[in-house]
């Protein structure tokens, strides 16, 4: 299994022309998004939902020869509209991880203001062939939370989505990818079958089911970048140990959270 080719798991956020400043770096324009989707198709990749990759990681279920996974975090307003339509027009399934506090009327989250979809639109995503996963309630730095708060974030977001969709929600994405062993154990204990991180790398047949590597799309990425990823180039392949700067940054954030309290993961 470890000799299988790398699997690009792309991470998108908002697809919009004029995003709020706080999320601008992690957005792409609608025009660029459509060109990137065309590059995925032209690259001969077969899009699959995260559940298919997880079935492969967990039990060796077969994958198509050249798989790709398209994921979307948070639940911005474009997702159940133009973004879902662009995916459906090309026959591309995807997975969306929703921050329930940000999309539920009367609830709040740590996400700064931005146009968001609503919880009631989660079913529309599935109608377009988009699998729905959880992205916590408030979008905190999970690896800095006390155990009780961590459990609440994981359990409540799952339960809220399951209630509106009427079926199990089995997949999670960590806000901004922040996780550690305790967070991964808590995700498994909450009943999630997988959890996606970031890692700026390809996934692989040997990847960690509770730390799936993704390649994050930024404003400056071009079609050429996506074409290279479709060829399995320009990124390392997970799994690999955390780099020392990553470990140091985690320790710094945990120390800061003891002083400041829960902070936005972004």
């Amino acid at each position: 299994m470890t000799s299988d080719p790398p699997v690009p798991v792309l991470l998108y956020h908002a697809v919009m022309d004029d995003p709020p400043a706080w999320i601008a770096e992690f957005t792409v324009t609608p025009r660029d998004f459509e060109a990137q989707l065309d590059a995925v198709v032209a690259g001969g990749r077969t899009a699959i939902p995260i559940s298919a990759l997880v079935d492969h990681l967990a039990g060796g279920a077969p994958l198509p020869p050249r798989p790709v996974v398209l994921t979307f975090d948070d639940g911005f307003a474009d997702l159940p509209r133009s973004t879902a339509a662009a995916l459906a027009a090309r026959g591309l399934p995807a997975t969306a991880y929703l921050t329930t506090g940000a999309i539920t009327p009367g609830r709040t989250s740590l996400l700064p203001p931005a146009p968001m979809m609503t919880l009631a639109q989660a079913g529309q995503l599935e109608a377009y062939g988009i699998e729905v996963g959880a992205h916590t309630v408030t979008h905190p730095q999970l690896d800095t939370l006390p155990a009780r708060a961590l459990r609440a974030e994981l359990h409540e977001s799952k339960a809220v989505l399951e209630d509106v969709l009427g079926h199990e929600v089995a997949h999670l994405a960590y806000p901004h990818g922040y996780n550690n062993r305790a967070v991964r154990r808590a995700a498994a204990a909450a009943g999630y079958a997988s959890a996606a991180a970031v890692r700026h790398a390809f996934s692989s047949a040997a990847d960690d089911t509770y730390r799936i590597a993704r390649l994050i799309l930024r404003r400056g990425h071009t079609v050429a970048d996506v074409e290279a990823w479709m060829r399995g180039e320009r990124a390392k392949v997970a799994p690999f140990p955390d780099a020392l700067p990553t470990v140091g940054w985690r320790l710094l954030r945990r120390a800061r959270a003891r002083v400041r309290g829960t902070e936005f993961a972004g």
Side-chain angles (χ1 to χ4, degrees):
M1 290 179 61
T2 56
S3 62
D4 288 0
V7 180
V9 182
L10 305 189
L11 165 54
Y12 286 95
H13 289 84
V15 179
M16 61 178 70
D17 283 310
D18 189 22
W22 69 270
I23 193 63
E25 179 185 359
F26 300 108
T27 66
V28 298
T29 67
R31 181 176 179 179
D32 287 346
F33 179 63
E34 296 220 9
Q36 291 168 7
L37 294 185
D38 289 341
V40 169
V41 174
R45 292 279 177 172
T46 299
I48 59 172
I50 201 72
S51 56
L53 177 61
V54 171
D55 288 345
H56 180 67
L57 296 177
L63 292 176
R66 291 174 52 78
V68 62
V69 185
L70 305 172
T71 70
F72 298 80
D73 281 8
D74 298 326
F76 290 93
D78 62 272
L79 183 56
R81 299 170 183 166
S82 56
T83 296
L87 291 164
R90 294 162 176 80
L92 298 173
T95 299
Y97 297 105
L98 305 181
T99 306
T100 56
I103 65 173
T104 303
R107 295 301 306 270
T108 59
S109 77
L110 297 169
L111 287 171
M116 304 299 291
M117 63 176 282
T118 66
L119 181 64
Q121 292 176 303
Q124 291 177 223
L125 297 181
E126 294 191 328
Y128 273 110
I130 299 175
E131 181 177 56
V132 173
H135 199 42
T136 74
V137 179
T138 68
H139 207 279
Q141 299 179 20
L142 290 177
D143 56 350
T144 70
L145 295 184
R148 180 177 295 181
L150 172 60
R151 288 194 297 271
E153 289 282 349
L154 299 180
H155 283 270
E156 182 182 335
S157 55
K158 189 176 193 294
V160 165
L161 291 170
E162 289 176 343
D163 184 61
V164 74
L165 294 172
H167 60 73
E168 183 184 17
V169 170
H171 306 288
L172 169 73
Y174 306 120
H176 211 66
Y178 290 148
N179 71 94
N180 57 15
R181 282 192 295 271
V183 171
R184 296 192 290 273
R185 287 195 298 267
Y192 292 102
S194 79
V198 180
R199 316 213 78 193
H200 311 293
F202 294 111
S203 185
S204 75
D207 204 359
D208 185 338
T209 307
Y210 289 93
R211 189 166 50 166
I212 296 171
R214 296 189 287 174
L215 294 156
I216 191 167
L217 271 295
R218 297 174 183 265
R219 197 75 165 185
H221 280 121
T222 66
V223 168
D225 293 314
V226 176
E227 289 172 341
W229 289 340
M230 294 307 102
R231 295 192 300 268
E233 301 171 357
R234 297 191 190 176
K236 56 186 176 180
V237 180
F240 48 83
D242 286 339
L244 287 177
T246 299
V247 176
W249 177 230
R250 181 183 301 132
L251 294 174
L252 176 61
R253 290 186 294 98
R254 293 187 69 178
R256 192 170 63 189
R258 285 194 288 269
V259 176
R260 300 181 183 178
T262 302
E263 292 189 305
F264 166 58

